[in-house]
Amino acid sequence: MSNPVRPGPGRPRDESIDARILEAALTVYAAKGLSGFTVDQVARAAGCSRPAVSARFPTRTELLLEAVRSFDATLATDDVGSARDQLVRLAENLVDGFGSVAGRATFRIVFDSLDDRALHAAWEDINAVRLAGIAEILERGVERGELPEEVRSEAFLHALVGAAMAKAIYGWLGEGSAGPHDAAGLVDFLLGRPS
């Protein structure tokens, strides 16, 4: 006769709270920056208790970094279609992402990390993963003969990400919103192709 596995003491963990906490963390941080980013504020915005947040994320820095990582997961682009098509999808994701609350949080973390060495090091790790994903698309495109060798450069990476950031900033200022055609035009411009 086997013994059934019994759950541990306390209430079962509600997995939906994780997503609410991460979304609330980005929202609070984007609005208030590091000085106004508290576990209490995040718990209130997520509609849960402070202990629920603290049980998942022992420090506010861990909470903030995990929230930013959760945003970066939305930037992934699968190896489907041509390298140009993948770059267009990536550019669309970047423009949409940087134009969102999560994007505003990303901008803030860059500036806040200038005064916080530990935060800066963690941010650099996150950014390196982001740039490596873009570099993979470029590398595949060059190896397949779809893209010129020159795109295999840090300058191209920075131009693509920087242009997406600029589009988002202009969107915040109410100077138009970016659409799929904008992303395609941006990629074609950077690749030196007529639109």
Side-chain angles (χ1 to χ4, degrees):
M1 182 175 222
S2 67
N3 293 331
V5 176
R6 291 189 172 164
R11 198 176 340 173
R13 187 170 176 154
D14 182 351
E15 297 299 325
S16 70
I17 291 176
D18 294 4
R20 289 195 339 246
I21 290 171
L22 294 174
E23 185 177 330
L26 289 171
T27 301
V28 169
Y29 182 71
K32 300 183 181 267
L34 197 56
S35 62
F37 182 72
T38 66
V39 173
D40 288 332
Q41 290 273 339
V42 172
R44 196 171 306 117
C48 67
S49 67
R50 177 185 172 84
V53 176
S54 297
R56 289 162 172 81
F57 308 98
T59 69
R60 74 181 188 144
T61 301
E62 288 178 53
L63 170 58
L64 174 60
L65 294 172
E66 190 56 37
V68 172
R69 282 187 201 98
S70 73
F71 161 62
D72 273 15
T74 67
L75 300 177
T77 302
D78 295 328
D79 185 10
V80 177
S82 70
R84 180 205 172 268
D85 293 344
Q86 292 171 44
L87 287 172
V88 170
R89 281 195 307 277
L90 175 69
E92 289 170 353
N93 292 345
L94 286 169
V95 171
D96 289 346
F98 286 132
S100 70
V101 168
R104 289 183 188 200
T106 297
F107 280 95
R108 276 200 186 267
I109 202 170
V110 169
F111 293 112
D112 285 341
S113 73
L114 296 174
D115 299 324
D116 183 328
R117 293 183 90 114
L119 184 60
H120 183 75
W123 167 248
E124 286 296 317
D125 290 344
I126 290 171
N127 200 42
V129 170
R130 178 184 291 176
L131 293 176
I134 301 169
E136 285 177 25
I137 296 171
L138 299 174
E139 188 68 33
R140 286 192 303 259
V142 170
E143 288 178 9
R144 294 176 187 163
E146 298 174 19
L147 298 176
E149 179 71 34
E150 307 81 69
V151 302
R152 238 193 289 217
S153 70
E154 194 171 281
F156 187 91
L157 287 174
H158 291 162
L160 179 61
V161 173
M165 288 178 165
K167 283 268 190 202
I169 291 169
Y170 286 122
W172 299 339
L173 298 173
E175 297 182 21
S177 60
H181 175 72
D182 292 331
L186 170 64
V187 169
D188 286 338
F189 175 78
L190 290 172
L191 291 174
R193 298 179 178 175
S195 321

